[in-house]
Amino acid sequence: ICLSVGTPQIRHSLEISRIIKDQEIKTIWGGLHPTILPEQCIVHPFVDYVVRGQGEVTIIELIDTLESGGDLSTIDGISWKNNGNIIHNKERIPPKLSTIPDPAFDMVNLKKYINKDRHLGDRVADVNSSRGCPHRCSFCYITSIFRPGYWDGFSPERIVGWIEYINEKCRITGFKFQDDEFFVRRGWVEEICKLLVIS
């Protein structure tokens, strides 16, 4: 069972993990909290593995290796336990966002993810169009998750395609970009805006 864990969800994540462990099922934690504090998470008896950073590639490699009985030390970006010893494998280089498949929107009920907003109306969708931030502010959590200066964006065509798909299914009244830092590349933002106007 894989859980994406943010700090506010720690108590619930531990309770879910306890129930899972009672059934002798392996638990994998990923997300913001385990990425920033992997040692704190992996020492807990309810947590078997931690996926640090962007997990799309890592989680597939981890599950494939667990199923085949392979060598966990070869998987970048995980923390795990070996005979009571905690091991933090080396960091994974983030994959280019252009290589990541589109979200499987057809596998979820999109209407459950539509929110209300007093400015944008009662059917608002969140959109993540990029990851990271090129700045290195010491107070920001981003510096603990991505390598310094990292930023990558999906293509404007893909982003607008997602918005169009969600609108077709849910008739949204607005959308919000939930990026770490949206206005990194002016030309990229302008292209997104032009495509939105055309669509």
Side-chain angles (χ1 to χ4, degrees):
I1 300 293
C2 309
L3 299 175
S4 182
V5 182
T7 303
Q9 294 88 35
I10 285 290
R11 186 192 311 171
H12 300 296
S13 299
L14 285 172
E15 179 60 18
I16 292 169
S17 297
R18 181 191 65 76
I19 295 169
I20 293 167
K21 292 299 292 179
D22 285 346
Q23 300 177 55
E24 299 183 358
I25 298 173
K26 298 293 184 183
T27 58
I28 303 172
W29 277 25
L32 291 175
H33 193 97
T35 293
I36 295 172
L37 296 168
E39 184 83 18
Q40 180 193 77
C41 295
I42 195 64
V43 297
H44 202 284
F46 297 160
V47 181
D48 294 310
Y49 307 96
V50 163
V51 170
R52 308 188 312 269
Q54 300 181 57
E56 289 92 348
V57 176
T58 308
I59 193 68
I60 293 172
E61 287 187 9
L62 175 56
I63 291 173
D64 287 347
T65 301
L66 290 172
E67 289 182 343
S68 66
D71 184 2
L72 292 172
S73 67
T74 64
I75 306 172
D76 295 347
I78 67 167
S79 299
W80 54 294
K81 301 164 187 169
N82 186 13
N83 296 323
N85 298 315
I86 293 173
I87 300 171
H88 301 288
N89 292 2
K90 71 177 183 177
E91 298 298 321
R92 177 176 294 277
I93 297 173
K96 284 297 226 178
L97 296 188
S98 60
T99 66
I100 295 176
D102 287 339
F105 293 124
D106 60 320
M107 295 184 68
V108 297
N109 182 352
L110 286 174
K111 292 180 180 178
K112 290 186 176 181
Y113 296 88
I114 301 301
N115 305 302
K116 292 184 178 181
D117 182 274
R118 62 187 180 128
H119 301 295
L120 297 175
D122 59 358
R123 296 190 308 280
V124 178
D126 290 339
V127 178
N128 289 99
S129 60
S130 67
R131 294 179 186 173
C133 177
H135 306 295
R136 305 182 184 187
C137 305
S138 60
F139 57 81
C140 183
Y141 76 96
I142 297 297
T143 58
S144 301
I145 298 174
F146 301 106
R147 69 178 188 267
Y150 171 84
W151 181 90
D152 193 13
F154 291 100
S155 72
E157 292 78 11
R158 288 181 76 184
I159 297 162
V160 174
W162 297 338
I163 294 170
E164 290 175 338
Y165 180 89
I166 295 170
N167 184 49
E168 179 185 332
K169 299 296 182 182
C170 303
R171 306 313 302 171
I172 59 176
T173 56
F175 57 89
K176 290 182 178 180
F177 287 108
Q178 298 288 0
D179 296 32
D180 302 308
E181 177 54 78
F182 182 66
F183 293 102
V184 172
R185 295 183 182 170
R186 179 171 177 169
W188 177 78
V189 174
E190 288 177 344
E191 184 61 26
I192 293 171
C193 293
K194 288 177 184 176
L195 291 174
L196 284 170
V197 170
I198 293 171
S199 65

